[in-house]
């Protein structure tokens, strides 16, 4: 339900300390990636998921933090390399790094949140010095098996200092879909300050608030996504720590992301793109309360339409399965109150998730091989950010009369052959 600032009236911005104005409350939610085994059913902990905007620096952020050790631990199940498109995306980034920022003598790149080595593998293959940092031991093990050098720990001041002592300054520090996950973001920027070479860059990419708001991607809001970045809020945050935002480029991945480049203040020229971006954000009022309130109203409408559609299909005897046991799906399922009565199973290609139950509503996660068995009339696509890749894989489904349901930017049935629905 869309709310005013009711639950965390004294919530303070984690960047600048000013007051945060809540604009949407999803209620109590389980940990988004907390997939549970049969024995663990019912033992989950819940926390309040609500989101607000800083009245001063405009950073959009959650009003409650889930401890990092609850989110990221040895058995964290997400594996980046499950998507071919993301593999290509990071390979191409590694390729450009190797030919540009890392083309000097004996360069060093450090990645924060290296997961299963999706980006660093190519760097390692090229024989370039690198360090991955990630507390998720099982994911790090996969990276190590690919020849990637990983430290299983959180990136913060102390680990940054230890890396600097051992390897010297880093030419590039990179982070994808991780920087925004760290509530104590100051500890990361302090660590970057310790570790980065004088003329080095801190490059990070993350889902973009502008796309989330414009396309109603409300399921990007979950415990791990503590901050939803805009170019303006990132620029202000960087300046508070002695860094300058020198570039920002749009990326098509995850429904719309931005790659930001920070450098030490005064060390590099700022690309004119940054100013254009800021003007665009200002013109669209992406952090204006009016825009965020409308976003909240759209979320409520999507919940209503989705539940109505699923109930209607069930009443007509139709069989609907879920596709992609994403962390995003935890927000959708728990906020909408959708359980096995409407979605009896969700297919997912991640071995670590298969055989478990989704957090909170306990829908069984099964391998994609079970998708057609029994043959569903409809599939609800939770992994909408991988729509193209999945549609291509599952052409048989549509050929045999199956239909895809999407809930963003609004609830609709995807017509094959029509333009991509998302991104
Ligand atoms: N970069 C990958 C992984 C994103 S998932 C990609 O874009 O697909 C986020 C990862 O960040 C997880 O593997 C998690 O364990 C890691 N992580 C979370 N907090 C971290 C921290 N403080 N330092 C380093 N890694 C962290
Ligand atoms: P993500 O949206 O956080 O990247 O998660 C995508 C999820 O979807 C992940 O659990 C893996 C799953 N998936 C499939 O089941 N099949 C696929 O083809 C792809 C690309 C992802
Ligand atoms: Zn602030």
């Amino acid at each position: 339900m869309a709310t005013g600032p009711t639950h965390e009236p004294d919530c303070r911005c984690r960047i600048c300390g000013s007051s945060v104005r809540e604009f949407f409350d999803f209620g109590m939610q389980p940990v988004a990636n907390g997939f549970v085994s049969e024995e663990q059913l019912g033992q989950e902990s819940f926390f309040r998921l609500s989101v607000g905007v800083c009245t001063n620096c405009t950073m959009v952020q959650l009003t409650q933090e889930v401890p990092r050790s609850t989110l990221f631990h040895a058995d964290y199940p997400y594996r980046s390399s499950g998507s071919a498109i993301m593999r290509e995306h990071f390979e191409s980034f590694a390729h450009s790094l190797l030919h540009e920022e890392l083309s000097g003598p004996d360069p060093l790149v450090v990645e924060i949140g290296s997961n299963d080595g999706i980006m660093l593998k190519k760097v390692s293959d090229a024989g370039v010095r690198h360090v991955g940092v990630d507390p998720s031991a099982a994911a790090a093990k996969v990276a190590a098996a690919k020849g990637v050098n990983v430290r299983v720990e959180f990136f913060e001041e102390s680990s940054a200092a230890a890396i600097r002592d051992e390897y010297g300054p880093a030419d590039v520090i990179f982070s994808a879909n991780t920087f925004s996950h760290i509530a104590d973001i100051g500890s990361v920027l302090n660590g970057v300050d310790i570790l980065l070479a004088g003329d080095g860059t801190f490059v990070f990419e993350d889902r973009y608030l502008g796309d989330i708001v414009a396309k109603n991607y409300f399921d990007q809001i979950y415990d791990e996504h503590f901050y939803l970045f805009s170019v303006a809020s990132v620029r202000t945050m960087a300046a508070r720590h002695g860094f300058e935002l020198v570039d920002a480029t749009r990326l098509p991945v995850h429904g719309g992301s931005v790659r930001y480049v920070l450098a030490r203040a005064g060390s590099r020229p700022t690309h004119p793109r940054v100013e254009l971006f800021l003007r665009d954000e200002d013109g669209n009022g992406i952090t204006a309360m009016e825009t965020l309130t409308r976003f909240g109203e759209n979320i409520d409408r999507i919940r209503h339409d989705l539940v109505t559609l699923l109930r209607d299909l069930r009443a007509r005897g139709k069989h609907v399965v879920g596709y992609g046991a994403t962390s995003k799906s935890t927000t959708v399922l728990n906020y909408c109150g959708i359980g096995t009565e409407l979605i009896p199973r969700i297919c997912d290609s991640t071995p670590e998730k298969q055989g478990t139950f989704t957090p909170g509503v306990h829908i069984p996660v099964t391998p994609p091989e079970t998708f057609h068995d029994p043959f569903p009339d409809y599939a609800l696509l939770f992994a909408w950010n991988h729509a193209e890749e999945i549609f291509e894989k599952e052409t048989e489904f549509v050929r045999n009369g199956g239909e895809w349901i999407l809930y963003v930017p609004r609830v609709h049935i995807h017509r094959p052959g029509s333009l991509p629905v998302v991104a």
Side-chain angles (χ1 to χ4, degrees), residues 243-309:
F243 292 102
E244 228 169 313
L245 175 66
V246 295
D247 203 357
T249 44
R250 273 188 164 281
L251 302 170
V253 296
H254 291 310
S257 299
V258 171
R259 183 176 292 148
Y260 305 87
V261 181
L262 304 192
R264 293 187 191 280
S267 69
R268 298 211 178 200
T270 300
H271 198 286
R273 266 193 291 261
V274 173
E275 191 52 43
L276 295 177
F277 235 132
L278 291 168
R279 251 188 264 161
D280 189 53
E281 285 186 349
D282 206 34
N284 292 329
I286 62 168
T287 51
M289 207 54 196
E290 194 190 339
T291 310
L292 298 171
T293 304
R294 200 175 329 118
F295 175 42
E297 289 161 5
N298 293 344
I299 300 174
D300 276 338
R301 184 167 329 115
I302 290 176
R303 170 166 75 168
H304 171 268
D305 292 352
L306 183 59
V307 171
T308 305
L309 174 66

Side-chain angles (χ1 to χ4, degrees), residues 10 20 24 29 43 58 63 69 76-77 110 132 139 146 152 159 164 178 204 219 231 248 263 341 346 350 362 387 407:
D10 297 324
V20 170
F24 200 83
Q29 293 272 334
Q43 291 174 24
T58 76
T63 60
S69 55
Y76 178 68
V110 174
K146 296 174 183 166
V152 180
S159 45
R164 173 135 191 167
T178 301
F204 57 94
D219 51 347
V231 174
E341 71 293 351
I346 302 183
T350 316
H362 303 157
Y407 51 83

Side-chain angles (χ1 to χ4, degrees), residues 281-356:
E281 285 186 349
D282 206 34
N284 292 329
I286 62 168
T287 51
M289 207 54 196
E290 194 190 339
T291 310
L292 298 171
T293 304
R294 200 175 329 118
F295 175 42
E297 289 161 5
N298 293 344
I299 300 174
D300 276 338
R301 184 167 329 115
I302 290 176
R303 170 166 75 168
H304 171 268
D305 292 352
L306 183 59
V307 171
T308 305
L309 174 66
L310 293 176
R311 285 189 184 145
D312 179 51
L313 291 174
R314 186 188 55 180
R316 287 164 41 208
K318 300 293 183 190
H319 181 55
V320 186
V321 303
Y323 204 107
T326 56
S327 9
K328 299 186 286 296
S329 72
T330 298
T331 294
V332 179
L333 294 166
N334 287 279
Y335 180 61
C336 298
I338 296 168
T340 48
E341 71 293 351
L342 295 176
I343 308 274
R345 60 194 163 94
I346 302 183
C347 304
D348 193 284
S349 60
T350 316
E352 287 78 3
K353 293 182 185 175
Q354 294 163 5
T356 69

